Amino acid sequence: MDAIVMIKKLREEKRVNNAGSAATIPSEASKESEGLVTRIIPVIAANEPIFNKPNELWENESLFERRITIEGGTGRGRGSVVRLLEDPTGTLAGGNGATLWDCSLALTRILAERYDGYDLTGTVVLELGAGLGLVGMAMAAMGARVVATERAITLPLLRRNVDFNKVVVGGRVDVAELSWGAKETKAFLAERSRSGDPPFDIVIGSDLVFPSNSDAYSLLADTLTVLLDEKTTDAKNSKTIDMWQSHEPRRPDVEAKFWAMLEDRGICARQITLSDGILPNSHPSDITIYKLNCSPSSAAAAKTLAQAKQNDTFATP
């Protein structure tokens, strides 16, 4: 059974159990697949706090450990085990960003394949909607410097997960708050510039678009636009940015609005296929991997693309 399929099965079992009077989580479930190994291991008894109540956030909460082994590619990071503290009840972070989702597993594997053989030392990665931080920590295990961003309510659990994996990430992951939107993203980038931080080379995000956050579609589209524009218009760094997104369709009729917003902003979302050579044959059919960049067909993007090509740093996706 594929690791992602197994996680879906476990999640369904959890949902059924939670519907009863006494919710239970399997004491241990493990399965190895071609791309990832995942284990569900309870680290505390139900309804007992794990962190000795360092603050009110953790009171009366149960956290479970899930171990993910990075097995894509052949180079640095392969075999690293990321240990995730997950809230199986979904009560932390407003129920969003406190559990591991299938898109994160899929994107982790794809990026391990895509950057296999590359020296990512000095590469700066921005993770949007990091949740538990799996994808960003996997990139850090491969040598990159990562800034994992989330909403304020999600940051305590994200920070705890990064601290929990110090040996794997080697101090190469910073956690920061970032609210989506053009104004907020420009302010975020300006603060980094004032601090002397380098620009981002890669932007990643998993499961950022779903029906219940449709009111944030335009804000996310604006954030992606600002990030792309920052890279293609900076005279000192006029090259295209690698931008990756994994997506699991739930309501295509609703989610189509987001993709239309990207097109209107001059952003092309190209679906990665088997012919690209980085999708494993076992890749789940219900999860799509996109590479985003400025669209050559967009009049709004034509000027920045022309400048990038003139500097001989433009690469097609």
Side-chain angles (χ1 to χ4, degrees), residues 24-87:
T24 60
I25 299 294
S27 60
E28 180 171 341
S30 64
K31 184 67 181 179
E32 184 171 347
S33 72
E34 177 185 358
L36 296 165
V37 177
T38 178
R39 302 177 65 212
I40 313 297
I41 304 174
V43 293
I44 52 172
N47 300 320
E48 292 181 5
I50 184 173
F51 303 131
N52 196 27
K53 297 185 180 180
N55 57 56
E56 293 182 358
L57 174 67
W58 308 115
E59 288 193 25
N60 302 317
E61 301 295 349
S62 297
L63 297 180
F64 288 77
E65 179 186 340
R66 190 194 301 272
R67 298 182 181 181
I68 306 296
T69 301
I70 305 169
E71 294 197 346
T74 59
R76 183 176 180 179
R78 178 178 172 83
S80 298
V81 177
V82 178
R83 303 169 63 191
L84 297 175
L85 296 175
E86 181 180 27
D87 169 30

Side-chain angles (χ1 to χ4, degrees), residues 9-284:
K9 183 175 183 294
L10 290 172
R11 186 178 296 133
E12 176 61 21
E13 291 174 353
K14 177 179 66 179
R15 185 191 64 79
V16 172
N17 287 331
N18 285 344
S21 57
T24 60
I25 299 294
S27 60
E28 180 171 341
S30 64
K31 184 67 181 179
E32 184 171 347
S33 72
E34 177 185 358
L36 296 165
V37 177
T38 178
R39 302 177 65 212
I40 313 297
I41 304 174
V43 293
I44 52 172
N47 300 320
E48 292 181 5
I50 184 173
F51 303 131
N52 196 27
K53 297 185 180 180
N55 57 56
E56 293 182 358
L57 174 67
W58 308 115
E59 288 193 25
N60 302 317
E61 301 295 349
S62 297
L63 297 180
F64 288 77
E65 179 186 340
R66 190 194 301 272
R67 298 182 181 181
I68 306 296
T69 301
I70 305 169
E71 294 197 346
T74 59
R76 183 176 180 179
R78 178 178 172 83
S80 298
V81 177
V82 178
R83 303 169 63 191
L84 297 175
L85 296 175
E86 181 180 27
D87 169 30
T89 67
T91 56
L92 293 179
N96 182 14
T99 54
L100 180 66
W101 292 89
D102 311 328
C103 278
S104 295
L105 287 167
L107 188 58
T108 297
R109 172 62 191 270
I110 297 307
L111 294 178
E113 292 288 351
R114 169 62 181 84
Y115 297 106
D116 184 30
Y118 284 75
D119 182 3
L120 295 183
T121 304
T123 299
V124 187
V125 178
L126 171 65
E127 183 174 13
L128 300 174
L132 300 177
L134 170 63
V135 189
M137 287 192 284
M139 292 293 285
M142 290 186 278
R145 181 78 194 186
V146 179
V147 179
T149 63
E150 257 293 358
R151 302 166 301 149
I153 192 175
T154 312
L155 293 180
L157 184 56
L158 175 57
R159 286 196 177 100
R160 183 63 187 186
N161 270 298
V162 171
D163 289 342
F164 202 46
N165 288 275
K166 285 182 178 179
V167 174
V168 175
V169 303
R172 291 184 296 275
V173 179
D174 295 322
V175 174
E177 179 181 356
L178 175 59
S179 298
W180 296 340
K183 180 180 178 181
E184 293 81 357
T185 305
K186 288 178 180 179
F188 175 75
L189 294 174
E191 179 58 32
R192 282 183 55 82
S193 180
R194 284 192 294 270
S195 300
D197 296 320
F200 294 109
D201 303 295
I202 301 172
V203 175
I204 55 178
S206 58
D207 222 357
L208 302 181
V209 178
F210 40 92
S212 61
N213 77 335
S214 60
D215 58 342
Y217 286 180
S218 62
L219 298 175
L220 174 57
D222 286 344
T223 286
L224 296 175
T225 302
V226 170
L227 291 168
L228 281 170
D229 185 63
E230 177 79 7
K231 197 67 174 181
T232 56
T233 58
D234 186 336
K236 295 181 180 179
N237 301 282
S238 53
K239 60 181 180 180
T240 56
I241 191 171
D242 271 2
M243 187 174 286
W244 302 88
Q245 185 170 335
S246 58
H247 175 64
E248 181 177 2
R250 296 175 178 86
R251 285 281 308 278
D253 56 324
V254 175
E255 295 154 359
K257 298 175 183 177
F258 171 73
W259 306 110
M261 290 176 183
L262 291 189
E263 185 176 358
D264 290 343
R265 288 162 172 78
I267 298 177
C268 172
R270 185 176 75 84
Q271 182 176 342
I272 300 300
T273 65
L274 286 173
S275 64
D276 290 291
I278 58 175
L279 283 185
N281 292 327
S282 60
H283 183 77

